[in-house]
Amino acid sequence: MKKSIYILLFVFALTACDEGFEETNINPQRPVQVSVNTKLTAAQLFVSSERYDNWRAGLIYQSTMMQHIATTAGYWDGDKYTWNRGYASSLMDRYYGNAIKSLEDMLVQIDEEGLPAEMKAITRILRVFAFSRLTDLYGDVPYSEAGKAVLEDILTPRYDPQSEIYADMLNELQESAADLGTGTSAFGDADIIYNGDQGKWKRLANSLMLRLGLRLIKVDPAAAQSWATTAIAGGVMESNDDIFYVPHTAGPEGVNQNGNGEVFLVDGNPRLSKTFVDILQAGNDPRLPILGARRSDGSTDPADLIGFPNGLDANMLLDMTGEENMDNYAEPNRSVITGLDAPMIFQTYAEVQFMLAEANVRWGLGGDAETSYNNGVTAAMEMLSLYGDGGVIDPADIATYLTNNPYDAGNALEQINTQYWIATFLNEYETFSNWRRTGIPNLVPVNYPGNVTNGTIPRRMSYSESEQVNNKANYDEAISRQGPDELTTRVWWDVQ
Amino acid sequence: MKQKFKYCMLLFLFLIYQGAMAQNKTVTGTVTDESGSPLPGVNVVEKGTSNGTSTDFDGNYSISVAENATLVFSSLGYSTSELSVAGRSTANISLAEDASQLDEVVVTALGIKRETKALGYSVTQVDGEEIATVKTVNAINSLQGKIAGVNITQNSTGAAGSSRVIIRGNSTLTGNNQPLYVVDGIPIGNDNNGSASLWGGSDGGDGISSIAPDNIESISVLKGGAASALYGSRGANGVILITTKGGTKKEGFGIEYSTTVNFDAINTDLQDFQTTYGQGTQGRVPATQEEAINLGFSAWGPRFDGSSVIQWDGVERPYSYTGNNLKRFYRTGTTFINTVAFSTADDKSNLRFSITDLSNSDIVPNSSLNRKTFSLNGGTVLGEKLTLQVNSQYIVEDVINRPRLSDSPGNANFTVGLLPGNIDVNTLNPGADEDGNERQYNGNVFSTNPYFAAFNFRNEDTKNRIIASASLRYDILDWLYVLGRVGTDHQTLRTTRITPTGTLFNPLGDMNELNRRFTQVDSDIILGVDKGITDKFAVSGLVGANKNSIVREDLNLGGNQFIVPGLFDIANLRNQNRNRSFNKREIGSIYGSLELSYNNYAYLTFTGRNDWFSTLSFPGKTTPNNDFYSSINGSLILSDMLAMPTFVDFLKVRGGYSQVAGGAQEAYQLALTYEIFGQGHLGQPLGRVSGGTVPNANLVPFNKSEFEIGFDTRLFNNRLSLDFAYYANETTNDIVNVTTSVASGFGAASANLGKLENKGVELLISGTPIRTQDFNWTTTLNATFNESEITATNADNSDIALDEPRTRNVRIQQIVGQPFGVIFGTSYVRDNNGNIVYDIDGDGVPIARQGERKILGEGVPPWNFGWTNSFRYKNFNLNFLIDAKFGGQIFSGTNSIAYGAGLHKKTLEGREGGLSVTGVDGSTFDADAGTGTSFTTTVSPENLQTYWGRVNDIAEEFVEDADYIKFRQFSLGYTLPSQILDKTFLQSVTINLIGQNLFYLSRSIDNIDPESTYNAGNSQGLEYFGVPSTRSYGLSVNVQF
């Protein structure tokens, strides 16, 4: 007995106290690296993003401010220009931690592994797109140092001036386009947007360059013209096959689903805005029964589709119409456009055609403005087939529409950008930016009690409140440069 | 079956009793003290046998002994005396007091029993009886207010929820601050199986709550670092040692049965909302059903007038106050606790087996808990020198519908608490229509119908847990022994959570099934010596080694969108997902302790320990993964060394310094990893960086050091005792997750630079103002003051953000130079004179301008008091406990939302005739100069809603003192006199009337319980629609056969 205890003690003492600890602390479930291809697929879904920010920044704020959507529901703050900091900052709160982090990580991995130049170019284009959303919405944002907590140990990235961000983004697009050739990139089908088609990515780079270039029209018209010239010369989107969108599926998890679709699944409050429906009705637009349906019975008969005025609460609705609810009004058509598997569209051939038309009107660039306008309207109608059979429009109806709504050279910019505003329905980030750039269409603001904008349409969204604490010096610097962190402050390119 | 068994036992006992009658002589007598007062509870034993009894409350005893027996009389605080029977049938004796004997023996680190006088640090021991008299679902709550230096917070998370226990202040900024629980020498897990946070959730209960109060022999609280040095890193926050009951030496074997029934009634005195204005907006009632729904939580209508007004369900009802909805919705909670224990012991072995059944119905409808505990403890001497002790507990816990808390989805408390006065919550019942769809009360789908939340949501868990240990001691020589011990805490948890189809905010529903396995294994081997060197000089000591390993594995099956409505099964989900998580960590240690004593009045103890941490190990890592730390402490019994005035019975001074080191609390924090996540998209796998915290490859152990001095004295024939301690502790190199900018891509970064200090005093005064034959009164007051300060976080001393409530305008934050966990939130903008700055809107309504975030309060109260009184009159016992906390604040989310909803009484101001507001006009305000033009305006009644609606965004308005004085515990007991029991087979019967949380003697904050945080984590001081607090009344009976 005694002997066995001594032996036990001896064995115990001989065993090193941390034997095997190094292996114990290696996570058995996590690899030290994964293929960059798997990261691209994820990053593309992250750029499309989730319900959280598509609901708050996208629909609750921008779609209502832009009078695509209207509702009585009090938490739809954009409808009435009230302020919910968490909603306003939602894109920032989600994008950096998912899309930006992944894209910055991919760029480092592509360099480290010496992967083909076209992979880096595609990643850079996607990165520019993600940052353009951020800077257009907030103005000065962390850019050069963002998403690099692990890569470069930057825990409190500085906010770059939007002027510098724009300069760099445009430069990035130009360099990336130059690195793209023809054929399929090494991403292959991991690229769920273009299946690795380098030509499409190149046209996208130039199309985004055209978009961002035109954005400068108020602050630096010469630069706008110069970049538009470069973009057009480089080759922009050529057909609806080039549309920049992320395809979604109805499941199996949230990451696969269209974030807007997730919102419509649970939120029955949004209605089509009266401003939007009235414009579609006036043009006898065949898109109306595809985009809208009556809430009460799903009817898509254009005669049944009534737009809901912005800026009303339930009581004001009752006072104004005697109606007790919003059931009689049109909502986004649940049988066509609100699916969990709907595409999330970022830039379309139609938009590019409208920009070409504008460039032609302004500077004589590109082809004939009328042709571009007609191409744009046609493409904007045809592209609804991306939503499935319910979105298909008879070509005859498109022709009729163009006949009834012909290009009007005397009112070209108004007409072109109103079409742009219609075509970017549900891509509200772009709607908001282009409206700020052009002021078209002329939206009449609402003046609801308690609004924080003195009855004007907001010009940006406010930063994450947490930045005031967690990144205070840089946040303060941005505020002192750009102006107060309010919805009425204008971003750099949005000069008065 | 149970009944039959009980009768068999009784019969068996009766036979034994008959056997005992065969003894030869009965001796009776009275035991008194030197002044002639009878002494109750004196042990009277026939020398050399196990035959014994004890004196009753009148000092009388009666015992059957052999003709020539010798009786041994012993009692704590008195010299033991012997008396030869020598044929007598009456034997009276008077016992002399003995101050040196007053030293109780307490259980200290590693389960070593030591005299308190030898200790250079503060240890508090609580007897099991104190815990078992007034039982709580979570036994640790019985300690609240009873121990200086220990701060226990009960939350508003329901009866099955967890508690927060903090000893001598928080010692880590972001890690676990709760003590190590050691049951019979074996550390157990105390993880929370889920808690509520910003977006809601339920409290999944903690590890300590599983221990049945009836099985507890004693609880020792090792407060300082010196006490816990031998438990190493895991003891850095203090150690609570729980010793469970073993068999006790008595005739034959004993049966003990105890039963408790407890009723919990909602405390309706707390919430005091306005009852004069009902549902509506801008001073008018809803005009339509839809408007009534949209105004679900808007009590901005006109004054009640009894007229007929449409409500959410389209029914018109009188517009008048309908009474208290809390009373209607919540039910009376009940708790039944039944324990039966069998025990036996002889000179060589002891055995105790017990079964406890605890059944609780919470006040939230459809929420309940059942816990069964089977405990088997046994010890035996195997050979001459070999002793085996085995302790085991098997616990099965079933909980149905842990209440959802915090954010409104699924949180019944939210909706019930916010209904305007003219809405009767009963009209919301049932929560679902005939198709199973939630009946919509409110425009916001995320505010769930409370009956739907209670009866249609499902949330069930079953926990199976084994806590077992075995130790084997071999006495090699009479002064040298070796002890081996191995123990485990093994838990499996099965949880099902269902959001049913028809839920408004999630129409297609979702569900999740979790299987969790938690296994902790500890093994120790100890070689110990205990030797007197000379008559006066003695030495004892030990060296040992320990290995601790913890494995936690979760298997999750989940998904959303039920295909067949109402069929809640994984296979019926359109979208399914599954994942597994695995976490393993180990600590290896060697340790030693050396105790020297001189002449029984001077003691010195040294300890040393080295811990190796797997969580700080990684291939290629160059910084240390281990640390050596030590402690020294000593005590002097001045009353034995020096001549003392006669009124001093005992005086001891003590002091010590200790260090402890600790590793990272979670595994796999050192290196960046990636993951393939989800189920791919369009056939493509998805990859990304894993985790949201920036890893740190160079983490080293953190350190905590503590300095402690104190004294302990007993005066005036032990009528007054005083125990005082001062301590100062400091944590350095704390491993913290410092919050980063959202734009960095990560939420936090691991750093190894946190610093935190606590300083405090603990005072325990105990007195016996009255001590007579029939009447005894003892009173004990404990007081604690703990002051904490954060002195560093990382290289930049950035703030660390902890939790925020759903209002999102306030957070608990760790800020350098501030106490632990300050409340940091939005404030009013004020001019230099403190006047509030307002923006005047288009309607002329002043809107308070929301200012920057400021420190608004301290989430952890620095002052804690407890005052216990016990009275004994003959066979009656009366005990009560009053406890208090001061100096802390709490943010009330309920009050904040109640402002916006027009329910808070403050919102009555101005409803008739308007509210006069004076302040500074924001359009003229110069922020740099701090000046602006003042204005005075009257806000018309219909605009009050806008005015108060803005105020509710400003957190400053809702942070109030959390001070309270509470009548915490009450018990009135009666013990049947031994004269009556002598004629029965019963040995003792005690009946207690008990009460808990009966009322507040003082409370600062309106409408809520100051102790109503919604989780037991580090973010204390946040309240948001928890389960309302209750008062409990009950009865307990304890019978020993």
Side-chain angles (χ1 to χ4, degrees):
Chain A
M1 192 71 220
K2 200 186 269 185
K3 210 190 237 165
S4 64
I5 286 167
Y6 286 136
I7 290 168
L8 190 68
L9 197 63
F10 186 67
V11 168
F12 216 109
L14 272 191
T15 313
C17 290
D18 61 348
E19 177 151 315
F21 276 16
E22 290 183 351
E23 283 67 37
T24 301
N25 205 33
I26 294 174
N27 191 331
Q29 298 188 283
R30 298 278 182 271
V32 294
Q33 185 56 281
V34 293
S35 141
V36 73
N37 286 25
T38 66
K39 292 181 190 173
L40 179 77
T41 315
Q44 292 181 342
L45 289 172
F46 290 155
V47 165
S48 180
S49 206
E50 53 197 288
R51 183 177 84 174
Y52 188 88
D53 45 307
N54 279 302
W55 200 348
R56 291 163 172 79
L59 293 172
I60 284 180
Y61 265 113
Q62 298 180 83
S63 79
T64 51
M65 279 156 32
M66 290 298 97
Q67 301 185 10
H68 278 155
I69 298 288
T71 180
T72 57
Y75 62 93
W76 280 66
D77 293 277
D79 189 64
K80 299 171 181 68
Y81 318 149
T82 49
W83 195 17
N84 183 317
R85 288 204 78 125
Y87 289 9
S89 66
S90 58
L91 181 74
M92 197 170 170
D93 293 335
R94 284 298 192 272
Y95 241 34
Y96 281 104
N98 283 332
I100 303 297
K101 176 164 80 171
S102 282
L103 290 163
E104 296 291 350
D105 176 62
M106 286 169 68
L107 289 175
V108 171
Q109 185 183 3
I110 288 168
D111 279 349
E112 279 177 356
E113 297 181 2
L115 298 174
E118 86 267 5
M119 293 177 88
K120 185 161 184 182
I122 288 169
T123 309
R124 285 165 86 187
I125 294 165
L126 202 54
R127 174 179 169 276
V128 166
F129 170 71
F131 272 115
S132 72
R133 271 205 166 176
L134 284 163
T135 186
D136 285 345
L137 197 59
Y138 298 103
D140 295 358
V141 289
Y143 176 77
S144 55
E145 298 184 342
K148 293 176 175 166
V150 167
L151 304 170
E152 295 178 22
D153 214 16
I154 299 170
L155 304 182
T156 50
R158 75 185 199 97
Y159 284 61
D160 298 278
Q162 191 179 49
S163 55
E164 293 174 17
I165 298 172
Y166 255 78
D168 192 66
M169 289 195 301
L170 286 160
N171 189 51
E172 285 283 297
L173 291 173
Q174 193 170 21
E175 287 182 18
S176 304
D179 282 343
L180 286 162
T182 51
T184 305
S185 80
F187 279 128
D189 287 343
D191 167 15
I192 53 173
I193 294 173
Y194 290 133
N195 297 93
D197 186 326
Q198 293 192 51
K200 288 185 178 182
W201 277 103
K202 186 169 191 148
R203 293 194 285 279
L204 174 64
N206 290 317
S207 303
L208 286 173
M209 191 191 296
L210 180 59
R211 174 193 274 185
L212 299 185
L214 283 181
R215 218 71 109 205
L216 307 180
I217 199 95
K218 291 197 285 187
V219 69
D220 188 351
Q225 181 176 354
S226 163
W227 282 110
T229 309
T230 310
I232 294 166
V236 293
M237 288 183 191
E238 292 167 354
S239 73
N240 276 350
D241 286 345
D242 289 344
I243 292 176
F244 174 33
Y245 74 92
V246 167
H248 286 279
T249 53
E253 298 186 34
V255 68
N256 306 99
Q257 298 167 343
N258 180 307
N260 286 333
E262 290 182 88
V263 176
F264 292 118
L265 180 67
V266 296
D267 197 331
N269 285 312
R271 298 289 175 272
L272 295 189
S273 165
K274 177 171 168 23
T275 312
F276 188 49
V277 174
D278 285 358
I279 286 179
L280 295 175
Q281 296 275 26
N284 214 358
D285 197 314
R287 284 173 288 191
L288 181 57
I290 291 169
L291 303 180
R294 187 158 66 185
R295 170 70 177 178
S296 55
D297 59 0
S299 164
T300 57
D301 182 341
D304 290 340
L305 299 177
I306 308 170
F308 192 77
N310 286 92
L312 298 187
D313 60 24
N315 183 43
M316 292 159 81
L317 172 67
L318 182 73
D319 284 352
M320 210 162 89
T321 66
E323 287 172 304
E324 298 186 355
N325 56 48
M326 303 188 288
D327 283 0
N328 205 26
Y329 295 86
E331 64 172 352
N333 188 346
R334 289 176 177 271
S335 61
V336 184
I337 60 169
T338 66
L340 293 169
D341 56 355
M344 186 68 92
I345 299 171
F346 303 127
Q347 191 178 26
T348 60
Y349 169 64
E351 287 164 54
V352 171
Q353 286 297 316
F354 293 133
M355 287 190 287
L356 288 178
E358 179 172 340
N360 185 259
V361 170
R362 285 182 186 274
W363 305 306
L365 292 172
D368 168 52
E370 180 169 2
T371 309
S372 296
Y373 168 83
N374 288 341
N375 287 344
V377 170
T378 308
M381 294 193 180
E382 286 176 348
M383 76 180 186
L384 295 180
S385 64
L386 286 175
Y387 291 107
D389 291 347
V392 176
I393 297 176
D394 186 338
D397 291 344
I398 299 175
T400 308
Y401 179 84
L402 281 172
T403 308
N404 295 337
N405 300 275
Y407 175 69
D408 174 6
N411 191 30
L413 291 184
E414 174 78 28
Q415 195 184 21
I416 291 164
N417 282 295
T418 300
Q419 285 296 335
Y420 196 101
W421 174 78
I422 297 169
T424 55
F425 178 67
L426 292 186
N427 180 11
E428 304 296 337
Y429 291 94
E430 183 53 26
T431 314
F432 183 42
S433 291
N434 201 60
W435 176 81
R436 282 178 291 165
R437 177 178 78 84
T438 61
I440 299 167
N442 180 26
L443 301 173
V444 179
V446 304
N447 196 1
Y448 187 80
N451 77 76
V452 295
T453 62
N454 208 15
T456 62
I457 295 177
R459 308 300 298 196
R460 70 182 275 275
M461 292 286 111
S462 50
Y463 295 130
S464 308
E465 195 172 11
S466 62
E467 288 289 280
Q468 293 175 27
V469 175
N470 301 327
N471 196 10
K472 185 167 170 45
N474 291 315
Y475 171 85
D476 287 347
E477 192 207 10
I479 298 304
S480 70
R481 187 170 53 226
Q482 178 171 269
D485 193 9
E486 291 169 2
L487 305 186
T488 48
T489 301
R490 284 166 179 260
V491 303
W492 165 74
W493 56 253
D494 183 23
V495 289
Q496 246 160 340
Chain B
M1 180 63 208
K2 224 187 218 170
Q3 285 294 328
K4 207 171 189 180
F5 182 64
K6 211 183 268 174
Y7 288 126
C8 284
M9 281 297 159
L10 292 181
L11 182 68
F12 188 56
L13 267 172
F14 181 72
L15 293 173
I16 289 170
Y17 186 65
Q18 292 300 316
M21 291 301 284
Q23 295 261 356
N24 8 41
K25 184 167 181 63
T26 300
V27 180
T28 59
T30 308
V31 183
T32 57
D33 66 12
E34 286 166 311
S35 66
S37 300
L39 285 176
V42 175
N43 291 316
V44 184
V45 178
E46 183 181 358
K47 196 174 180 180
T49 72
S50 60
N51 178 27
T53 183
S54 59
T55 57
D56 66 12
F57 287 96
D58 303 321
N60 297 322
Y61 72 93
S62 170
I63 188 170
S64 292
V65 293
E67 283 285 354
N68 56 352
T70 299
L71 293 178
V72 180
F73 298 87
S74 63
S75 180
L76 192 64
Y78 294 88
S79 302
T80 300
S81 294
E82 294 184 3
L83 195 66
S84 175
V85 173
R88 281 188 280 187
S89 58
T90 306
N92 297 331
I93 189 166
S94 128
L95 298 182
E97 290 187 21
D98 179 359
S100 69
Q101 277 240 345
L102 277 169
D103 261 320
E104 309 120 72
V105 168
V106 293
V107 180
T108 68
L110 302 173
I112 298 162
K113 287 183 180 158
R114 294 184 64 187
E115 287 177 308
T116 42
K117 71 176 183 182
L119 301 177
Y121 50 81
S122 171
V123 171
T124 304
Q125 183 159 319
V126 177
D127 284 342
E129 197 182 335
E130 252 185 83
I131 296 149
T133 305
V134 183
K135 282 170 224 170
T136 46
V137 175
N138 188 343
I140 207 71
N141 287 340
S142 321
L143 295 185
Q144 177 154 18
K146 289 180 182 163
I147 303 173
V150 179
N151 182 355
I152 298 178
T153 312
Q154 304 181 32
N155 308 298
S156 55
T157 59
S162 40
S163 295
R164 180 172 176 85
V165 179
I166 298 298
I167 300 177
R168 288 187 173 173
N170 293 281
S171 55
T172 166
L173 295 171
T174 56
N176 173 33
N177 274 300
Q178 300 214 51
L180 175 70
Y181 290 96
V182 176
V183 175
D184 298 322
I186 291 302
I188 63 165
N190 190 40
D191 290 358
N192 250 6
N193 284 318
S195 62
S197 60
L198 170 62
W199 301 111
S202 304
D203 188 319
D206 53 19
I208 185 58
S209 61
S210 304
I211 307 298
D214 283 316
N215 288 339
I216 297 174
E217 169 82 32
S218 70
I219 294 182
S220 271
V221 181
L222 312 186
K223 287 182 273 196
S228 52
L230 285 175
Y231 282 106
S233 53
R234 288 175 295 157
N237 304 323
V239 180
I240 294 185
L241 297 175
I242 296 171
T243 307
T244 63
K245 287 177 180 164
T248 44
K249 219 167 176 184
K250 56 167 63 178
E251 293 168 18
F253 73 104
I255 302 180
E256 186 171 348
Y257 172 71
S258 77
T259 182
T260 296
V261 57
N262 221 11
F263 300 97
D264 302 323
I266 175 171
N267 185 344
T268 49
D269 294 349
L270 288 173
Q271 195 181 86
D272 185 24
F273 283 164
Q274 62 92 359
T275 57
T276 40
Y277 294 84
Q279 185 173 40
T281 181
Q282 295 177 309
R284 56 168 193 83
V285 298
T288 64
Q289 181 180 356
E290 174 161 293
E291 198 179 15
I293 289 176
N294 280 340
L295 297 173
F297 295 141
S298 177
W300 291 107
R303 182 179 274 273
F304 286 131
D305 59 8
S307 62
S308 201
V309 171
I310 194 157
Q311 297 195 350
W312 68 281
D313 50 358
V315 177
E316 294 196 359
R317 296 192 181 87
Y319 187 69
S320 47
Y321 181 61
T322 64
N324 190 318
N325 276 324
L326 300 181
K327 246 190 236 173
R328 292 194 186 105
F329 179 72
Y330 296 101
R331 58 183 181 180
T332 299
T334 53
T335 308
F336 295 95
I337 309 175
N338 286 289
T339 298
V340 56
F342 309 93
S343 66
T344 182
D346 60 24
D347 287 339
K348 293 213 152 180
S349 57
N350 67 79
L351 195 67
R352 180 176 184 274
F353 174 70
S354 75
I355 304 173
T356 298
D357 181 274
L358 183 153
S359 286
N360 168 269
S361 301
D362 206 350
I363 60 166
V364 180
N366 205 28
S367 289
S368 63
L369 174 150
N370 178 273
R371 183 160 59 222
K372 292 183 175 61
T373 308
F374 304 86
S375 158
L376 178 65
N377 287 352
T380 186
V381 181
L382 292 173
E384 205 177 320
K385 294 176 168 182
L386 196 60
T387 315
L388 176 71
Q389 177 73 33
V390 179
N391 293 329
S392 60
Q393 295 193 56
Y394 174 56
I395 299 149
V396 189
E397 187 174 283
D398 288 299
V399 186
I400 296 180
N401 290 340
R402 295 179 182 271
R404 288 228 201 176
L405 307 163
S406 184
D407 195 13
S408 57
N411 181 354
N413 311 300
F414 185 88
T415 308
V416 179
L418 282 177
L419 294 176
N422 58 315
I423 308 294
D424 181 340
V425 70
N426 281 328
T427 63
L428 276 65
N429 191 13
D433 63 20
E434 57 273 19
D435 299 325
N437 295 318
E438 181 181 349
R439 294 169 74 214
Q440 179 167 14
Y441 162 74
N442 193 286
N444 183 346
V445 296
F446 291 98
S447 301
T448 306
N449 181 313
Y451 293 95
F452 194 81
F455 292 97
N456 296 72
F457 276 71
R458 262 174 68 198
N459 171 349
E460 297 174 9
D461 55 75
T462 299
K463 183 158 76 176
N464 283 268
R465 184 175 189 184
I466 291 169
I467 300 171
S469 66
S471 67
L472 196 60
R473 175 180 163 130
Y474 182 68
D475 294 308
I476 302 166
L477 300 168
D478 61 354
W479 55 271
L480 182 68
Y481 65 89
V482 60
L483 172 73
R485 177 159 52 206
V486 61
T488 187
D489 177 3
H490 178 78
Q491 305 175 29
T492 58
L493 178 74
R494 181 75 175 74
T495 301
T496 302
R497 292 210 162 81
I498 296 167
T499 306
T501 43
T503 301
L504 280 165
F505 72 83
N506 188 352
L508 302 177
D510 62 41
M511 77 178 290
N512 187 68
E513 306 262 21
L514 164 71
N515 268 296
R516 170 169 295 168
R517 174 172 72 89
F518 172 94
T519 305
Q520 172 162 256
V521 178
D522 264 277
S523 27
D524 275 281
I525 186 147
I526 298 167
L527 183 70
V529 294
D530 190 355
K531 193 164 172 64
I533 307 289
T534 68
D535 279 357
K536 290 189 166 177
F537 192 67
V539 61
S540 66
L542 57 87
V543 291
N546 169 271
K547 182 78 173 265
N548 165 260
S549 110
I550 294 173
V551 173
R552 185 182 159 122
E553 184 183 32
D554 284 357
L555 292 172
N556 257 298
L557 289 177
N560 56 34
Q561 302 192 13
F562 290 105
I563 298 161
V564 178
L567 174 65
F568 303 127
D569 186 78
I570 292 285
N572 185 39
L573 290 167
R574 190 176 307 277
N575 294 322
Q576 299 175 16
N577 59 61
R578 67 282 176 272
N579 65 64
R580 164 179 180 264
S581 79
F582 178 85
N583 187 304
K584 178 176 183 180
R585 51 193 205 270
E586 293 176 305
I587 303 172
S589 314
I590 55 172
Y591 53 84
S593 162
L594 180 67
E595 292 145 24
L596 307 172
S597 67
Y598 179 72
N599 211 10
N600 282 333
Y601 62 64
Y603 299 87
L604 201 57
T605 304
F606 303 91
T607 68
R609 182 174 177 118
N610 203 101
D611 283 345
W612 286 262
F613 305 100
S614 77
T615 57
L616 299 178
S617 305
F618 201 74
K621 181 170 183 277
T622 51
T623 52
N625 69 345
N626 73 95
D627 199 16
F628 176 79
Y629 49 89
S630 56
S631 77
I632 176 169
N633 68 73
S635 69
L636 286 176
I637 317 299
L638 295 180
S639 52
D640 287 356
M641 289 170 68
L642 310 165
M644 287 280 149
T646 49
F647 66 88
V648 179
D649 302 317
F650 178 79
L651 175 63
K652 170 181 125 173
V653 294
R654 58 174 196 261
Y657 176 79
S658 65
Q659 299 170 320
V660 62
Q665 290 182 344
E666 289 298 322
Y668 321 133
Q669 280 188 22
L670 304 187
L672 182 72
T673 54
Y674 290 83
E675 65 182 337
I676 299 295
F677 69 101
Q679 296 169 64
H681 189 67
L682 300 170
Q684 303 297 320
L686 304 175
R688 66 174 168 192
V689 172
S690 173
T693 300
V694 181
N696 183 337
N698 297 314
L699 292 182
V700 295
F702 71 80
N703 294 283
K704 183 182 173 188
S705 60
E706 183 162 306
F707 162 77
E708 172 178 356
I709 52 169
F711 68 87
D712 178 2
T713 184
R714 282 160 223 172
L715 309 170
F716 309 112
N717 275 336
N718 301 308
R719 296 286 278 265
L720 180 65
S721 71
L722 204 65
D723 189 315
F724 172 85
Y726 168 82
Y727 63 86
N729 63 49
E730 184 180 34
T731 305
T732 53
N733 281 343
D734 189 18
I735 300 170
V736 294
N737 289 333
V738 179
T739 324
T740 55
S741 160
V742 287
S744 74
F746 288 77
S750 286
N752 210 177
L753 296 167
K755 259 191 186 179
L756 167 64
E757 293 173 2
N758 285 283
K759 294 188 182 106
V761 292
E762 294 159 2
L763 180 65
L764 179 71
I765 306 174
S766 184
T768 312
I770 299 172
R771 185 162 79 192
T772 69
Q773 185 173 343
D774 287 339
F775 185 66
N776 211 30
W777 171 30
T778 58
T779 181
T780 304
L781 176 74
N782 73 70
T784 308
F785 173 72
N786 182 77
E787 184 182 51
S788 63
E789 187 187 341
I790 290 158
T791 49
T793 52
N794 62 356
D796 302 329
N797 280 332
S798 315
D799 292 358
I800 299 176
L802 303 182
D803 292 355
E804 58 181 336
R806 187 60 183 85
T807 54
R808 307 204 75 178
N809 52 1
V810 62
R811 253 185 198 286
I812 299 299
Q813 200 114 333
Q814 307 288 26
I815 301 174
V816 171
Q818 295 297 321
F820 183 95
V822 291
I823 303 170
F824 188 78
T826 55
S827 60
Y828 286 110
V829 177
R830 294 176 193 268
D831 72 2
N832 290 337
N833 299 321
N835 301 306
I836 296 174
V837 176
Y838 293 90
D839 294 316
I840 317 280
D841 80 359
D843 297 325
V845 182
I847 306 281
R849 190 176 278 185
Q850 184 175 310
E852 61 177 348
R853 293 195 170 210
K854 287 183 180 161
I855 295 167
L856 304 173
E858 196 176 334
V860 183
W863 290 97
N864 284 263
F865 297 92
W867 184 36
T868 313
N869 280 283
S870 346
F871 302 90
R872 179 187 59 77
Y873 177 70
K874 295 199 168 164
N875 287 9
F876 288 94
N877 263 295
L878 174 75
N879 289 283
F880 68 86
L881 164 65
I882 290 169
D883 82 322
K885 291 187 185 183
F886 295 107
Q889 282 79 32
I890 189 167
F891 168 81
S892 171
T894 297
N895 282 338
S896 165
I897 303 294
Y899 263 48
L903 282 170
H904 198 285
K905 278 200 165 161
K906 181 98 176 172
T907 66
L908 290 175
E909 291 173 21
R911 295 236 193 179
E912 312 285 334
L915 176 69
S916 175
V917 176
T918 301
V920 172
D921 181 347
S923 63
T924 67
F925 184 65
D926 177 343
D928 295 327
T931 55
T933 315
S934 67
F935 73 92
T936 297
T937 189
T938 300
V939 183
S940 62
E942 69 269 19
N943 285 332
L944 278 175
Q945 189 169 348
T946 309
Y947 174 81
W948 291 115
R950 171 45 71 90
V951 170
N952 90 344
D953 287 340
I954 296 175
E956 180 184 337
E957 180 75 19
F958 306 101
V959 175
E960 291 181 63
D961 288 340
D963 298 350
Y964 71 83
I965 307 174
K966 198 170 196 176
F967 195 85
R968 175 75 60 184
Q969 264 188 20
F970 167 87
S971 69
L972 173 63
Y974 178 69
T975 304
L976 262 59
S978 50
Q979 296 94 308
I980 296 174
L981 295 178
D982 277 352
K983 299 178 179 73
T984 70
F985 57 84
L986 299 170
Q987 291 188 354
S988 108
V989 176
T990 309
I991 299 164
N992 275 289
L993 286 170
I994 54 182
Q996 291 173 73
N997 303 326
L998 294 181
F999 53 89
Y1000 282 98
L1001 294 157
S1002 152
R1003 174 170 64 101
S1004 306
I1005 192 163
D1006 294 329
N1007 297 319
I1008 62 159
D1009 186 331
E1011 297 181 281
S1012 48
T1013 51
Y1014 52 78
N1015 66 41
N1018 286 335
S1019 299
Q1020 294 294 294
L1022 302 175
E1023 180 273 346
Y1024 198 85
F1025 295 96
V1027 178
S1029 60
T1030 57
R1031 304 179 156 131
S1032 307
Y1033 314 83
L1035 179 75
S1036 78
V1037 180
N1038 183 295
V1039 184
Q1040 291 181 26
F1041 302 98

